Amino acid sequence: MQSSLQIKDLQLYRQGELLLSLDEQIVGGEILTVMGPSGSGKSSLLNWLTGTLPNGFTATGEVWLNDKNVSHLPTHLRHIGVLYQDALLFSHLSVAGNIAFAMPKGSKNSNKKQRREKIEQALAQVGLAGMEDRHPDNLSGGQQARVALLRTLLSEPKAILLDEPFSKLDTQLRVDTRQLVFEQIRTHKLPAIMVTHDHSDAEAAKGKVIHLDL
Ligand code: ADP
Ligand code: MG
């Protein structure tokens, strides 16, 4: 079965006033880009998708993941991963600890050794071989971004949301990190939504681009 994220007939309201309407289907490996000025509702859209809409907002419509309506599930049962512009790593945990924290403790990762091996492999794949025991504060911005990416991917999400994920990285690092993130999204065949202000991000995503107005 092909994975997919569907936004069915969303009407999102703030203080009773319509903020945005959307009806979209994103299949696995595809990246939908959402652009729009500050205040147009980009973050609120992502909050609605994860089930974390603040008070003052209301919505009609449904979120479907892989042909299952998840609209009424709490955040942690939706299995939607989010990457933000800040890596948001725990500074008291090692790199491996940060990644392990988010990993499901199911059959495939039931013991510590299996989890550790999986983490070592994943780190090597993104150019961070041997960094398991380092602490996030001693990593560069680009390295932190890669650890955050792995933490999200190894949590085994069914879809991924990117909220301005590259905006704090400078040009070359931005291009490299973006390529890595998109590659991983395509390899894992995850449906993705990216919020960005940057037209080169939108082009690199190679998917549909929608513009929200104020
Ligand atoms: P964007 O991410 O596109 O900048 P947001 O989704 O953060 O936009 O915000 C959309 C609108 O909702 C803005 O007018 C913003 O001021 C308002 N807003 C944001 N958070 C809240 C909140 N907790 N309560 C009420 N209004 C909010
Ligand atoms: Mg925002």
Side-chain angles (χ1 to χ4, degrees):
M1 183 195 71
Q2 190 169 39
S3 63
S4 78
L5 170 63
Q6 267 180 283
I7 296 172
K8 291 193 181 180
D9 204 13
L10 166 66
Q11 318 266 350
L12 183 55
Y13 299 85
R14 187 179 70 98
Q15 317 290 11
E17 262 186 59
L18 186 64
L19 186 59
L20 59 94
S21 305
L22 215 55
D23 190 70
E24 293 289 339
Q25 172 164 15
I26 305 134
V27 300
E30 223 173 65
I31 304 162
L32 173 73
T33 299
V34 179
M35 303 187 85
S38 192
S40 58
K42 304 182 296 298
S43 296
S44 302
L45 168 64
L46 302 188
N47 290 337
W48 173 73
L49 285 162
T50 56
T52 53
L53 211 49
N55 286 334
F57 291 87
T58 50
T60 59
E62 295 172 349
V63 197
W64 288 61
L65 260 176
N66 303 344
D67 297 320
K68 186 174 165 222
N69 184 355
V70 299
S71 313
H72 301 291
L73 292 182
T75 303
H76 69 284
L77 295 180
R78 294 188 184 199
H79 301 289
I80 297 177
V82 192
L83 270 182
Y84 300 96
Q85 57 180 240
D86 293 302
L88 302 174
L89 301 169
F90 294 115
S91 53
H92 67 285
L93 292 177
S94 65
V95 163
N98 268 280
I99 297 171
F101 182 82
M103 285 169 82
K105 310 290 185 277
S107 53
K108 283 175 291 170
N109 314 306
S110 56
N111 69 52
K112 241 182 150 165
K113 189 160 163 274
Q114 280 172 317
R115 288 202 290 276
R116 178 82 182 188
E117 273 167 16
K118 214 165 168 180
I119 291 167
E120 284 171 6
Q121 269 176 17
L123 284 168
Q125 276 170 13
V126 301
L128 298 176
M131 299 228 181
E132 330 23 76
D133 296 321
R134 295 274 294 270
H135 273 255
D137 294 352
N138 306 323
L139 301 180
S140 70
Q143 291 170 331
Q144 290 182 13
R146 280 177 275 166
V147 174
L149 170 66
L150 293 186
R151 182 182 50 183
T152 300
L153 289 173
L154 270 60
S155 75
E156 298 176 17
K158 296 188 171 122
I160 257 191
L161 310 178
L162 313 168
D163 196 354
E164 304 259 4
F166 317 118
S167 60
K168 288 200 169 163
L169 304 172
D170 53 33
T171 316
Q172 189 53 46
L173 192 56
R174 180 186 188 105
V175 171
D176 294 344
T177 308
R178 181 168 72 205
Q179 190 180 341
L180 178 70
V181 171
F182 290 179
E183 233 171 63
Q184 294 286 329
I185 287 171
R186 290 177 184 130
T187 305
H188 290 82
K189 294 203 167 41
L190 291 168
I193 299 181
M194 169 176 64
V195 163
T196 185
H197 279 104
D198 187 307
H199 288 277
S200 70
D201 285 350
E203 262 170 49
K206 296 193 174 82
K208 183 172 175 181
V209 181
I210 55 177
H211 295 268
L212 302 178
D213 322 306
L214 265 187

